[in-house]
Amino acid sequence: MTTINDVAHAAGVSPATVSRVLNGGRVTAERAERVRRAAAELGFAPNRVARSLRMRRSSLVGLIIPDIGNPFFTALARGVEDAAQRTSFSVVLCNTDGNLDKERRYLDIAIAERMAGVIVAAASRSRTDVSALRSRGIPVVAVDRRPRGASVDAVLVDNEEGGAAATAHLLARGYRRVACITGPQGTSTAEERLAGYRRALQEFLDDGPGAPAGEADLLRDYIRHADFKVEGGHGAMADLLALPQRPDAVFAANNLMAVGVLQAVREAGLEPPEIGVLSFGEVPWAPLVQSGLTTVQVPSYDLGRTAAGLLLDRIAGTEQPLRTVVLRSSLQIGRTTAGPHSGVARRTSGKQQTASEDP
């Protein structure tokens, strides 16, 4: 059986250097390449179970996210994996479906498997609890969502600013009855994006050209909480469209709900931008939407890559104060928010009818 000493002899380095390479320690690129080449030629595979017992941790990093079916989290996971691949750590993906019981089970598994660290997008701002990991010395990084009261590093998006920019854009385009479909109550991303919506709306009513009498009271009816899923966005939008005075625009606070919103709008025989539609988070097929979907774009890959970098630093023993990194979003403007009087192809009795543009 090939041993670490055999690899060291073949690579012309010490066994300690081989160990550092295998454990993600700092060595020169030239020495690391010699060690890897020697290990491959000799067919050497380290005993990870034995190593985890010696080190009292495995070479596994947990990534706990609420919805792997959401392209946002798919890209985030890719960022985590790409960063981890540069080291000796492997990523274990855990999908909670936003369910606290599933999340707790995965957190327990992380402890039982002696994972080296965990990156978590919390299912609940107030109820996700990572204290058991922290008490056992397992580093934790919160990504996208931070559990309230958790003393951990975090990588977040400027959710409130993004929500405010989205709402201000709709108002600037001439929409006045702007609705917001946000996520579950108690989820930090949902609360922050809703806060941005409310702030921009209040600033418009206070400082802008004003709104029709009673509009401020009416706008309170235009907020819906859904489940960050396609079905939730569809149901919330259908409910809004059934109001006596329906909204003329909607800010969907995540990408999957925006898909459901578009479905409901078209089922009602309408078409953006007659009703403005704006999504928080990029929809992969957004360029294929007629006229192009306006989105608040989020650097999801960079969120994952940055979170993995912070976690690997903690695993390596970094003693720096807790860090919070906030990444900026950006508004990508398409035709779905061109304005209620911009001219649009309407659906009537199965036929296309073009509305004339205001002079």
Side-chain angles (χ1 to χ4, degrees):
M1 177 182 295
T2 303
T3 68
I4 194 171
N5 290 324
D6 297 326
V7 175
H9 179 74
V13 299
S14 69
T17 298
V18 176
S19 179
R20 281 196 296 273
V21 172
L22 297 177
N23 289 298
R26 293 181 180 273
V27 300
T28 65
E30 185 269 335
R31 285 189 176 185
E33 178 57 30
R34 278 160 49 196
V35 169
R36 293 191 187 100
R37 185 166 57 246
E41 290 173 352
L42 295 173
F44 175 75
N47 187 327
R48 296 185 182 276
V49 173
R51 188 175 68 183
S52 69
L53 290 174
R54 289 195 307 272
M55 301 176 64
R56 302 188 63 81
R57 74 178 189 201
S58 74
S59 59
L60 301 178
V61 166
L63 173 59
I64 303 176
I65 57 177
D67 186 5
I68 190 57
N70 186 330
F72 168 82
F73 287 110
T74 305
L76 187 152
R78 181 62 183 270
V80 171
E81 185 181 36
D82 284 354
Q85 281 294 315
R86 301 188 186 99
T87 71
S88 62
F89 293 99
S90 299
V91 179
V92 176
L93 180 63
C94 308
N95 184 71
T96 68
D97 291 316
N99 183 290
L100 277 165
D101 289 334
K102 288 184 69 174
E103 183 181 72
R104 290 190 192 101
R105 286 198 296 272
Y106 283 130
L107 292 171
D108 289 342
I109 289 171
I111 294 170
E113 296 295 325
R114 298 180 177 178
M115 287 187 181
V118 172
I119 297 171
V120 58
S124 170
R125 182 184 181 94
S126 59
R127 298 171 64 193
T128 292
D129 185 2
V130 297
S131 60
L133 278 74
R134 301 293 297 120
S135 67
R136 288 166 174 80
I138 298 176
V140 178
V141 174
V143 66
D144 184 51
R145 310 167 178 185
R146 174 161 46 192
R148 182 177 285 126
S151 298
V152 297
D153 295 312
V155 185
L156 310 171
V157 175
D158 57 347
N159 287 300
E160 183 171 341
E161 290 302 319
T167 307
H169 169 74
L170 290 168
L171 293 166
R173 287 297 173 96
Y175 299 103
R176 291 297 175 263
R177 298 186 303 278
V178 179
C180 177
I181 300 176
T182 193
Q185 292 181 331
T187 303
S188 62
T189 47
E191 293 175 355
E192 291 162 6
R193 293 167 194 175
L194 177 60
Y197 161 84
R198 283 177 164 148
R199 172 159 63 86
L201 205 57
Q202 192 60 54
E203 288 174 357
F204 175 79
L205 293 173
D206 289 346
D207 305 325
E215 193 85 347
D217 293 334
L218 181 64
L219 289 170
R220 295 194 185 97
D221 295 331
Y222 288 162
I223 296 172
R224 295 291 184 277
H225 288 271
D227 58 2
F228 275 151
K229 307 277 188 180
V230 174
E231 296 78 11
H234 180 276
M237 190 62 198
D239 185 49
L240 288 167
L241 289 171
L243 291 174
Q245 190 169 9
R246 69 189 182 201
D248 60 4
V250 61
F251 164 45
N254 95 324
N255 51 357
L256 294 186
M257 292 196 303
V259 176
V261 166
L262 287 168
Q263 290 175 347
V265 166
R266 285 167 178 165
E267 287 169 5
L270 303 167
E271 190 77 27
E274 181 183 12
I275 287 185
V277 178
L278 195 154
S279 167
F280 198 110
E282 188 174 2
V283 178
W285 42 258
L288 302 179
V289 176
Q290 183 180 6
S291 301
L293 178 64
T294 298
T295 60
V296 177
Q297 293 192 325
V298 179
S300 48
Y301 177 89
D302 289 338
L303 277 171
R305 182 178 56 81
T306 305
L310 294 183
L311 185 68
L312 293 170
D313 283 349
R314 290 296 179 192
I315 292 171
T318 298
E319 297 293 340
Q320 295 181 17
L322 292 177
R323 291 167 289 179
T324 296
V325 180
V326 180
L327 303 184
R328 294 181 62 85
S329 59
S330 60
L331 193 63
Q332 182 69 35
I333 299 173
R335 285 280 297 165
T336 58
T337 58
H341 307 297
S342 59
V344 63
R346 294 179 180 170
R347 295 182 180 183
T348 55
S349 303
K351 297 180 181 180
Q352 294 291 325
Q353 176 181 352
T354 301
S356 60
E357 189 168 338
D358 286 352

